[in-house]
Amino acid sequence: MLDIKLIREQPEVVRAALEKRHSAIALEPLLAMDERRRAAITQADQLKQERNEVSRKIGELKKAGQDTAEIQARTRELGEQIAGLDAEVRQIEEEQRAMALGIPNCPHASTPVGASAADNVVVREWGEKRTFDFEPKDHIALGESLGLFDFARAARMTGAGFPLFTGAGARLERALIQFMLDLHTTAHGYTEISPPFVVNTASMTGTGQLPKMAEDMYHVPNDGLWLIPTAEVPVTNMHRDEIIRAPLPLKYVAYTPCFRREAGAAGKDTRGLIRVHQFDKVELVKFVPPATSYDELEALVRDAEAVLQKLEQPYRVLELCTGDLSFAAAKCYDIELWAPGHKGWLEDSSCSNFEDFQARRANIRWKNPEGKTEFVHTLNGSGVALSRLYVAILENGQQADGSVVLPAALRPYMGGLERLVPQT
């Protein structure tokens, strides 16, 4: 959520930033509401001052033995007016917050200006795309021949978009999770968290999924709970309504399943693992001082890249343009894996700096070195998502005989297994 003081004092700056995002949200209704709120507060303060003066006079009149009925009536009248104004202020503040929750974050000045994903900037590439002396298969054909998953049975028990891993496929899923958790906790200094997989509405609002993206989320209305779309939600909300007193940065890593309806993506890459409604992800979350948040963002991207480098998967890093930023992000990098069977790049990680946008929504603060309480900056990144990494490992490791060679770094987590072979 943006600072109302920023919107009030520099509306043209905020309008220009939102225009870069191609956001059509008007600030005038919010500013008009803010003016009403401030006028009501001023009026209430004036009446409270008058009530204090009247109360003082009552004491003087009583000491002098004079009648106080009339002035006490004025005190009651003032109390009723003040109560009405206080209630009006609370109502306006609720409406103002609801309106402010619908305004996206302002892009950082370094974010490239653009209209869509076509304007994203390739920052770097790592690894060489493998060449084949045979026609490479996609992960669906490979996985089925290797007996790694069964989409037909998954669809029968739940519906389309929910994977069922079997045998070595399930072990590969578990191995990837364990490998990433071990890497981030031992080499990168993150503290492991195992959070709930469902959260309340306040948590989803705090990180920015609600109200904008409600249609993409799985809701349990009878309990007022939501299945998490990413571990970012519960882990960030660990410190909701808190003043963090521990030294910053705080760095957390969590594995969770993730649930997304993807309502706006119907018909796109719906076969296999590329776009599913349930997938596994290892998530990285940071709470950092505002002064260092962009250095911390670069470090976050490097931590996610390290996973792919150790697993020997070719990838590229994109800097997202203003028109492709998520609702809450001020700056974001995407990491895309090369998938030869798919014949294209697959997004596998987004690393974002939200600045104080989430912290304002979730009321997450810290005591800075000067002892002043201020909002922290929050960051998060996939470290990384499993489903598309799974695709890349199969497609990049495939051999002419239909087997798949596993990355060396993953073999200890697979009991020493070096390759997956087709089932006879």
Side-chain angles (χ1 to χ4, degrees), residues 20 24 32 52 58 83 91 134 155 158 167 201 242 247 274-275 281-282 288 320 322 347 365 375 377 410 416 423:
K20 290 179 181 178
N52 290 338
I58 289 174
Q91 178 65 32
F134 60 92
T158 306
T201 296
E242 289 184 11
I274 292 176
R275 190 174 294 277
K281 185 149 65 85
V282 171
V288 308
L320 268 58
T322 53
E347 178 195 330
R365 295 153 294 159
F375 290 105
H377 279 195
L410 202 57
Q423 295 185 336

Side-chain angles (χ1 to χ4, degrees), residues 4-66:
I4 185 60
K5 183 178 179 181
L6 172 67
I7 299 174
R8 182 193 310 130
E9 296 180 355
Q10 302 182 57
E12 294 308 318
V13 171
V14 176
R15 287 191 186 97
L18 296 180
E19 285 175 5
K20 290 179 181 178
R21 298 187 66 119
H22 301 274
S23 171
I25 292 176
L27 300 179
E28 285 74 16
L30 182 66
L31 290 170
M33 192 171 292
D34 185 56
E35 186 63 31
R36 281 177 52 212
R37 182 187 68 87
R38 295 170 70 203
I41 290 173
T42 298
Q43 187 178 356
D45 287 344
Q46 291 171 346
L47 292 177
K48 288 172 184 177
Q49 184 177 353
E50 181 182 349
R51 184 175 60 181
N52 290 338
E53 293 173 356
V54 170
S55 297
R56 190 164 52 250
K57 288 181 181 178
I58 289 174
E60 293 172 356
L61 290 173
K62 283 184 176 180
K63 285 181 181 180
Q66 298 182 26

Side-chain angles (χ1 to χ4, degrees), residues 267-279:
K268 183 180 179 183
D269 291 327
T270 54
R271 294 181 65 247
L273 294 171
I274 292 176
R275 190 174 294 277
V276 287
H277 299 309
Q278 176 185 322
F279 60 96

Side-chain angles (χ1 to χ4, degrees), residues 97-108:
R97 177 175 170 80
M99 191 177 294
L101 288 174
I103 300 176
N105 203 357
C106 293
H108 187 260

Side-chain angles (χ1 to χ4, degrees), residues 54 57-59 61-62 65-77:
V54 170
K57 288 181 181 178
I58 289 174
L61 290 173
K62 283 184 176 180
Q66 298 182 26
D67 181 37
T68 61
E70 183 177 344
I71 198 167
Q72 284 181 334
R74 177 56 179 163
T75 301
R76 289 192 294 273
E77 181 184 349

